[in-house]
Amino acid sequence: MSTLDIRNPANGERIATLPADDAASVAAKAQSARAAQPAWAARPLSERLECLRAFRAAVVAQLDALAVTMTRETGKPIRMSRNELNGLLPRIDFFLAECERSIAPETVYEEGGMREQIEHVPLGVIANISAWNYPWFVGCNVILPALATGNAVLYKPSEYSALTGLEIARLLHEAGVPQQVMACVVGAGEVGSALLAQDVDGVFFTGSHGTGRRIAEAVGSRFLKLQLELGGKDPTYVCEDADPKAAAESLADGAMYNTGQSCCSVERIYVHEKIHDAFVEAFVQAVGGFRMGDPMSEDTYIGPLTRRPQLDVLAAQVADARARGATVLTGGRVGGGAGNWFEPTVVVNVDHTMEIMREESFGPVIGIQKVRDDAEAIRLMNDTRYGLTAGVYTPDEARARRILSQVHAGSVYWNCCDRVSPRLPWSGVGDSGVGLTLSKYGIQTFTRTKAWHLRQAG
Ligand code: NAD
C-alpha cells in the first residue's frame, strides 16, 4: 500500500505517515458516492443543513486541537490557525442562513394555464481538489454548499494539509453526513489525476495556475462543470493623499500575513512619488516588528513556508530583482536549518522587467514601485495575466472607484486588502481562474438550473 509522509515545515521532521489512496480506491469511493448521492439529495434541505450545524458545533468544541494539527503540518502560526477556524464560523452561518433562499424554485411566468419555473438541482457527484494555505476556508467553501445543495463530494485535500483534510471529513461524518457522500482521498498529484478520471459531474479546484491548466486540459472535452480558483499577483496603489504610515501598516500585514501564502496576499505595491519614501520607511518599520519563529509560539507572526520548493522560487525572484538593479531593504535570505525559512523581504527600485513584479511570490516578499500618477498606476496594475484582487488607498472614494473600475480583478478593495467575505463572490479573471465560490452565487454554482414548462391540461 502506498503512503504519504507528513512533515513539519518548521523543522522537517516527519509527524505522520498516512495510508494513501490509489487509482483503485479512488474509483471505489467514486462509485459509492454515485450510488449514495440520490438518497442524500432526497433528504429535506433542513436535514442536510442540520449536519452543517452539527459540524459547526464540533469545530467550536475542538477548535484548539484542530488549530494545532493545522499548524504542525502547514507551519501556519498558531494564532492564525485559530483565526482561520474562527473565521470559518461566519461562513458556515452564511450558508445556513442563505442556502434555502438561494436555491428556492422560482415561478417566473404564469398566464393562461401556462406556468414557467426554474429549479436548482444538484450537479450530482463533485470532485474538490484543494490547496493547503487556508485548508479550512478553501475546503469548506466548496464542500459545505455542495453538500447542502444535495451533492456527494470527493475531496482531495492537498498533500501538505492532509491531516486537516481528514479532520474535516471526520467532523462531517460525525455530524451525520454519510461516509459515501463525503469521501476524502489522500495523496499528491497522481491521486488528483486519478480523481479526475472518475465519473464526476463537476470539478472544483483551488491551487496554482499550472495545475489548474493541467486539470482544464484533462477534463476539457468532457463538458463538466469546471471551476478553477488560482493564484494572483495582487496589486495595490497608494495615492499621495493617503496616510503613508496607516497604509504601510495595513499593507505590510496584507503582504506578510500567513507568511505571505494567501491567494489574495498583496504581491506588489505602487506608491505615488510624493509619499513613496515616507511609505517605504513605515513599511520597513512595520515588517521589522514581525517576529519570525516557532509557529507554535503565540507571538510568532512569520512562520516557515509550507512547501520547501518555494524557498528556491523566492530566492530566485530576489536574485533576479537584484541583478536588474533593485534594492533589498530588509530580508532576502533563506534561513538556516532543516525548516523552510525565508526572511520577510522588502524590495524597492523595482520595475516590470523583474519576476518579483510579474510572477506570484506566495511568500513573505514584496516589491514596492514608485509611480507618477493614477494613469501609470492603473497601467501597471493591469500589466499582468492574473486578476484576483486589487486595491487602492486614498481617502477619496470617488477617486478609488474611478481607478478600481478600470482594474481587471475579481475583487477590489478600497483602504483594505487580503480580505474575503462570505457575502461576496470570490472569483478571478484571466489566469486567476474561472467560476466562483461564496455569496449566493457560490451556493447556486453547485446546482444546475432546470427549466419547467407546465401547461394545465384542458
Ligand atoms: P497546487 O496546484 O500545487 O496543488 C493544488 C492541488 O492540486 C493539490 O491538492 C495537489 O495535490 C493537486 N494536484 C497537483 N497536480 C495535480 C494533477 N496533475 N491533477 C490533479 N490534481 C493535482 O497548489 P498549492 O501549492 O496547493 O496551492 C497554492 C496555490 O493555490 C497558489 O497559487 C495560490 O494562489 C492558489 N490559491 C488560490 C485560491 C483562490 O481562491 N483563488 C485560494 C487558495 C490558494
Side-chain angles (χ1 to χ4, degrees):
M1 190 192 21
S2 56
T3 55
L4 176 69
D5 281 344
I6 308 292
R7 292 192 179 276
N8 182 340
N11 55 26
E13 281 171 14
R14 192 175 64 189
I15 52 176
T17 298
L18 297 173
D21 277 276
D22 57 21
S25 67
V26 172
K29 287 177 184 178
Q31 281 157 21
S32 298
R34 175 64 68 197
Q37 186 269 330
W40 174 248
R43 304 233 309 236
L45 175 60
S46 59
E47 275 185 28
R48 297 196 301 267
L49 292 179
E50 208 40 58
C51 295
L52 263 57
R53 220 167 262 122
F55 171 74
R56 185 196 194 283
V59 170
V60 171
Q62 300 174 40
L63 196 141
D64 287 340
L66 297 171
V68 169
T69 299
M70 178 159 46
T71 290
R72 289 188 72 215
E73 69 178 336
T74 67
K76 188 188 290 268
I78 188 71
R79 271 187 309 127
M80 298 179 190
S81 289
R82 287 200 298 268
N83 287 351
E84 181 175 345
L85 284 153
N86 278 311
L88 179 69
L89 305 179
R91 294 195 188 194
I92 302 175
D93 293 339
F94 174 81
F95 293 134
L96 288 170
E98 293 301 323
C99 213
E100 183 166 6
R101 199 180 0 231
S102 301
I103 59 167
E106 274 177 87
T107 300
V108 290
Y109 179 81
E110 196 163 14
E111 213 173 296
M114 189 76 204
R115 217 165 358 122
E116 298 175 356
Q117 288 183 325
I118 299 171
E119 186 192 13
H120 294 277
V121 298
L123 294 173
V125 177
I126 66 131
N128 176 25
I129 298 177
S130 203
W132 46 264
N133 60 329
Y134 282 91
W136 285 89
F137 282 163
V138 294
C140 291
N141 287 353
V142 171
I143 295 167
L144 300 185
L147 289 173
T149 51
N151 298 278
V153 177
L154 298 165
Y155 166 49
K156 196 196 91 56
S158 165
E159 58 273 35
Y160 295 98
S161 59
L163 294 173
T164 292
L166 288 166
E167 290 290 59
I168 293 172
R170 175 180 67 85
L171 294 186
L172 283 164
H173 296 151
E174 288 173 6
V177 180
Q179 301 262 353
Q180 299 85 342
V181 167
M182 167 68 209
C184 189
V185 301
V186 172
E190 68 283 0
V191 175
S193 275
L195 186 50
L196 296 174
Q198 306 308 313
D199 168 30
V200 294
D201 303 295
V203 172
F204 294 78
F205 171 74
T206 306
S208 63
H209 171 259
T211 308
R213 204 186 165 111
R214 277 192 288 283
I215 288 177
E217 283 164 4
V219 302
S221 63
R222 285 159 62 193
F223 306 139
L224 298 171
K225 170 116 188 191
L226 176 65
Q227 283 203 177
L228 304 170
E229 303 219 328
L230 309 176
K233 190 67 191 170
D234 301 8
T236 297
Y237 168 40
V238 184
C239 302
E240 79 289 350
D241 53 2
D243 174 345
K245 187 163 183 292
E249 284 169 1
S250 168
L251 287 167
D253 186 48
M256 306 275 171
Y257 189 88
N258 202 31
T259 316
Q261 302 170 117
S262 308
C263 53
C264 51
S265 283
V266 177
E267 285 258 340
R268 48 199 173 111
I269 302 176
Y270 304 97
V271 187
H272 195 284
E273 59 190 8
K274 284 193 181 145
I275 63 161
H276 173 269
D277 293 355
F279 175 88
V280 168
E281 191 186 331
F283 195 96
V284 171
Q285 198 177 2
V287 169
F290 293 156
R291 194 179 170 283
M292 181 161 97
D294 178 3
M296 287 304 294
S297 166
E298 290 293 330
D299 55 359
T300 289
Y301 183 90
I302 301 279
L305 296 176
T306 306
R307 290 177 64 254
R308 193 161 181 81
Q310 202 65 15
L311 293 174
D312 293 338
V313 172
L314 299 185
Q317 286 190 354
V318 172
D320 169 73
R322 268 206 180 101
R324 292 172 193 274
T327 311
V328 178
L329 291 180
T330 184
R333 289 173 310 184
V334 174
N340 311 336
W341 300 95
F342 199 92
E343 295 171 340
T345 301
V346 180
V347 186
V348 295
N349 297 326
V350 291
D351 62 42
H352 276 219
T353 64
M354 302 172 187
E355 277 178 28
I356 199 170
M357 298 304 275
R358 305 193 69 85
E359 298 301 328
E360 190 178 40
S361 303
F362 222 57
V365 168
I366 189 81
I368 303 176
Q369 182 168 352
K370 194 185 285 186
V371 293
R372 276 185 311 277
D373 54 23
D374 295 1
E376 185 182 16
I378 293 166
R379 182 178 62 73
L380 290 169
M381 288 165 98
N382 282 332
D383 181 25
T384 177
R385 60 201 172 93
Y386 291 111
L388 195 57
T389 80
V392 168
Y393 282 64
T394 169
D396 182 346
E397 182 175 355
R399 181 178 180 184
R401 283 182 173 275
R402 199 166 53 243
I403 294 166
L404 291 172
S405 64
Q406 296 174 67
V407 175
H408 308 302
S411 296
V412 292
Y413 301 123
W414 176 42
N415 293 331
C416 57
C417 57
D418 192 22
R419 181 176 191 278
V420 179
S421 162
R423 296 168 294 276
L424 292 172
W426 186 249
S427 67
V429 298
D431 279 1
S432 291
V434 289
L436 57 86
T437 50
L438 300 176
S439 79
K440 66 178 176 186
Y441 304 108
I443 297 172
Q444 291 174 353
T445 196
F446 298 99
T447 65
R448 69 187 167 78
T449 48
K450 187 165 182 172
W452 292 76
H453 304 243
L454 303 163
R455 190 197 294 279
Q456 207 76 51

